Amino acid sequence: MSELNQRLINAALYETLTAKQEGLNIAASTPARRSGGGGLDPAIARARMNQMAERLQQAEAALAEANAVVADWQSAMEAWKDLAITLREEIKACPNHEAHQFGKNDEARKEHIHKKEDEERAKRNLKPKYKKT
């Protein structure tokens, strides 16, 4: 999943950079147009600028979508990481595996991970996934 997110982000960044480079190329070629010389037709320049603006808008939309997916994914991963740390600390605190009540209580673990994921989502300004409102 993270490879797909990275590809989306890379594609969006590539589109943005390409659009900016085309804008710089047009800007560099426009002053070369003089009263008697050839140069770039203003209609063509406007069409290229409109095309670049559209591509930039698409790239920014793709980047925003990729960032939303990444934020959602990060929230879930932080919750799983916290659960793993909690279980590891319980095991370290008591080497007797029969005493690990939290590790055996499926409902408590599920509640813990859901609570942690909702907290992480709140940090990223996302709606809670499990909290019942």
Side-chain angles (χ1 to χ4, degrees):
M1 184 73 177
S2 63
E3 184 179 327
L4 174 63
N5 293 338
Q6 190 62 46
R7 285 184 181 180
L8 287 172
I9 291 169
N10 289 345
L13 290 174
Y14 175 76
E15 288 293 326
T16 303
L17 290 175
T18 303
K20 286 182 179 181
Q21 185 60 47
E22 286 182 16
L24 291 174
N25 292 343
I26 289 173
S29 66
T30 302
R33 203 176 90 225
R34 296 209 171 99
S35 59
L40 193 60
D41 183 20
I44 293 173
R46 271 193 300 279
R48 286 176 79 187
M49 290 297 285
N50 291 339
Q51 186 181 34
M52 285 188 325
E54 184 179 327
R55 287 178 66 191
L56 179 61
Q57 192 176 29
Q58 290 171 350
E60 287 173 346
L63 182 60
E65 185 178 341
N67 284 337
V69 171
V70 168
D72 188 43
W73 184 256
Q74 283 177 326
S75 300
M77 291 301 100
E78 287 294 326
W80 280 103
K81 177 183 164 187
D82 183 69
L83 178 63
I85 290 169
T86 303
L87 289 171
R88 184 180 63 201
E89 287 172 355
E90 182 183 24
I91 290 168
K92 283 182 181 178
C94 178
N96 180 3
H97 74 280
E98 294 173 0
H100 301 157
Q101 297 305 314
F102 181 73
K104 293 179 182 180
N105 188 343
D106 292 338
E107 195 61 37
R109 282 195 323 270
K110 187 169 87 172
E111 183 179 317
H112 178 85
I113 196 165
H114 289 179
K115 178 181 166 222
K116 185 64 178 177
E117 185 170 353
D118 282 344
E119 288 173 6
E120 291 296 326
R121 290 175 67 84
K123 286 180 187 176
R124 292 172 176 81
N125 296 325
L126 298 172
K127 291 182 182 177
K129 193 172 185 177
Y130 300 103
K131 187 177 182 181
K132 292 180 176 66
T133 55

